[in-house]
Amino acid sequence: MLQKVKLTKKEMKEFAEAFAYYDYGEEEIGMVPLYPGYPDRTKLVKYLLAMIGTANEYDAVYVTSARKEGIIILTDTTHPYPRGAMIKMVWRMAKALGFRDFRRIMKKFQAGGASLEKKYRDEKRSFVQIELLAVRTKYQGKGFMRPLVETAFEVAEKAHLPVIVSTDAKLKKDKYEHLGLKHVNTRTLAEKSFMYDLVREA
């Protein structure tokens, strides 16, 4: 299993930018254009930093190696963040986007129907969720996604829980399937904008 570490502010920004500037190809646009300021992605990067920064404070960031080529942030419903941490993260996200745009984005996430996370929570099912996976730009395409996803599997296997993830990129969806997750639902959020729900059952 990969190790948890603390990231520097510079490292957190590098991972946020790698995630924000992902190349979706020609068939889809992902969620990126729905964030305020597009094509400028400054607010999106700040939004991602709110998530990464909070995870970093509460020891939820796994890295590929001492070089920190890639990171994965996991949440486990059997060991949730403290309530104060969740409030802090949501506040930071809302502040990063602006509160009106934050509410608008949250509605967009729900536009295509219930996510797998919501379904599992409604059914009172426990799970491990991949909240964010990012590989620094210069290391992309070199196999660093595999050990990150396998760490999610190891965490889940110890607790006999499923792993779930939602992604807005078909290319990422295909990679997750190749690594052992099953695509179970596609939600349409807008024209050429989709969310793909995947699971690896316990």
Side-chain angles (χ1 to χ4, degrees):
M1 183 183 297
L2 300 179
Q3 299 298 309
K4 296 179 183 179
V5 299
K6 294 291 189 183
L7 303 174
T8 66
K9 289 183 178 180
K10 180 182 178 182
E11 289 165 346
M12 288 190 285
K13 187 175 181 182
E14 288 177 353
F15 284 116
E17 289 176 341
F19 196 93
Y21 287 91
Y22 179 78
D23 183 3
Y24 290 85
E26 298 181 357
E27 295 182 7
E28 57 186 3
I29 59 175
M31 283 287 293
V32 174
L34 303 181
Y35 285 88
Y38 182 82
D40 181 82
R41 307 191 188 191
T42 301
K43 286 193 173 182
L44 173 56
V45 170
K46 289 181 178 178
Y47 174 86
L48 293 166
L49 280 171
M51 179 189 297
I52 297 171
T54 305
N56 196 48
E57 288 176 21
Y58 290 91
D59 298 316
V61 181
Y62 295 84
V63 294
T64 44
S65 76
R67 291 189 299 273
K68 302 176 185 176
E69 299 93 346
I71 63 169
I72 191 169
I73 296 173
L74 304 174
T75 53
D76 176 351
T77 56
T78 64
H79 296 87
Y81 282 175
R83 180 173 176 80
M86 293 302 299
I87 293 172
K88 184 186 296 185
M89 183 169 64
V90 172
W91 172 261
R92 288 172 172 173
M93 288 177 169
K95 188 176 180 181
L97 297 181
F99 292 94
R100 181 178 298 176
D101 283 319
F102 179 72
R103 288 193 296 269
R104 180 179 59 81
I105 288 293
M106 291 303 103
K107 288 181 180 179
K108 282 290 185 182
F109 276 126
Q110 300 166 13
S115 66
L116 196 57
E117 176 187 3
K118 186 178 187 308
K119 290 178 180 178
Y120 274 40
R121 289 189 184 279
D122 288 347
E123 295 169 1
K124 310 295 185 188
R125 295 184 63 184
S126 296
F127 56 87
V128 169
Q129 180 161 235
I130 298 174
E131 299 286 354
L132 183 141
L133 187 154
V135 176
R136 290 189 193 183
T137 304
K138 66 180 179 180
Y139 294 114
Q140 290 177 6
K142 297 182 179 180
F144 288 105
M145 184 176 179
R146 178 178 291 277
L148 294 168
V149 173
E150 288 178 347
T151 289
F153 293 166
E154 289 180 57
V155 170
E157 285 169 0
K158 283 187 175 182
H160 306 288
L161 297 176
V163 175
I164 67 171
V165 64
S166 294
T167 179
D168 65 343
K170 183 178 183 299
L171 292 173
K172 291 182 183 179
K173 185 269 291 184
D174 292 345
K175 289 179 181 178
Y176 278 123
E177 285 187 289
H178 178 70
L179 294 172
L181 287 101
K182 181 181 179 182
H183 174 225
V184 293
N185 187 42
T186 300
R187 294 175 278 135
T188 301
L189 306 183
E191 185 179 359
K192 298 179 72 174
S193 179
F194 309 97
M195 289 296 290
Y196 305 96
D197 297 319
L198 300 100
V199 62
R200 182 182 189 261
E201 293 291 355

